[in-house]
Amino acid sequence: MRNYGAGREALLDAAVRVVARGGLRRLTYRAVAEEAGVTHGLVVHHFGSRDALIEEAVTHAIRSSLNSSALDPGTGRPADFARGLADMVDSGPDLQAFQYELLLEARRRPELLRHLRALYEEYFEATRRDLTRMLPTPADRGLTRLVFAALEGLVLHQLVFGEREVTEEALISLRALLTHLAEEPPPAR
């Protein structure tokens, strides 16, 4: 046992890695225990059910991703928007892969969707806040989702294709579009 007594967070990190490599179908107490280097019983003790493990791993993954994300830097400058996105993907590919696995699994298991949607709302809100800081009018839901979808697509493509330079080029273009929107006068009412 490498990490006997490892905390709950270490077990959640192990669950993220298991799902990132093998999909949700590979997530078992034994797989998490093996990945974390602890006993099967310790995983059972901390989570009680596979559904609880999944739910907590989703929450953990999205919170970890938000903490390390380039969203919501708070400067209000288009030139700073999503700075560090490519680094985030490179430094946490399992975290990103886990989230995509869960998004797809939520199509097959609707009980995951409610929890996943609530957590994704945090991503949308972080995007909206940052856009609202830089634009002359508050960002609406459509623009927020459009920009977030662009970022999420860039993350997915970098994760799968490994083309960090393409991510950086696309972000330069996105920042140029946001700069243009920021410089437009607000519409007359």
Side-chain angles (χ1 to χ4, degrees):
M1 297 295 140
R2 312 190 280 271
N3 298 320
Y4 184 76
R8 188 179 199 82
E9 189 167 325
L11 296 174
L12 292 170
D13 287 338
V16 166
R17 289 190 302 271
V18 167
V19 172
R21 284 195 308 265
L24 195 60
R25 69 186 178 283
R26 298 279 190 231
L27 185 67
T28 64
Y29 290 141
R30 291 196 192 290
V32 172
E34 184 176 317
E35 180 68 29
V38 300
T39 65
H40 165 266
L42 186 63
V43 180
V44 173
H45 169 75
H46 275 286
F47 300 103
S49 74
R50 183 172 182 268
D51 286 341
L53 174 59
I54 292 168
E55 188 171 307
E56 289 192 44
V58 169
T59 300
H60 172 73
I62 291 179
R63 297 250 188 276
S64 296
S65 186
L66 275 168
N67 288 338
S68 68
S69 87
L71 289 174
D72 205 15
T75 69
R77 295 173 13 140
D80 295 331
F81 186 73
R83 194 152 306 281
L85 186 78
D87 290 335
M88 179 190 75
V89 177
D90 286 345
S91 68
D94 286 347
L95 195 57
Q96 304 309 316
F98 173 85
Q99 290 178 69
Y100 291 116
E101 287 287 339
L102 267 286
L103 280 171
L104 291 172
E105 188 64 27
R107 292 191 70 222
R108 294 179 288 274
R109 295 185 52 193
E111 68 274 12
L112 290 174
L113 189 57
R114 182 184 56 78
H115 187 65
L116 200 57
R117 178 180 282 284
L119 293 168
Y120 255 74
E121 288 297 331
E122 293 185 41
Y123 280 140
F124 303 146
E125 180 56 23
T127 304
R128 188 200 62 73
R129 277 192 312 268
D130 210 22
L131 290 171
T132 295
R133 281 188 198 105
M134 71 180 80
L135 301 177
T137 58
D140 63 22
R141 184 170 63 175
L143 179 62
T144 297
R145 289 289 179 96
L146 175 65
V147 170
F148 181 78
L151 295 175
E152 188 171 45
L154 290 172
V155 168
L156 178 62
H157 286 206
Q158 184 178 334
L159 184 65
V160 173
F161 301 121
E163 299 172 329
R164 179 192 174 97
E165 68 282 355
V166 175
T167 300
E168 296 289 0
E169 290 170 21
L171 287 171
I172 289 168
S173 295
L174 178 59
R175 290 182 195 118
L177 289 170
L178 292 173
T179 297
H180 177 71
L181 287 175
E183 292 169 351
E184 279 188 7
R189 294 190 183 229

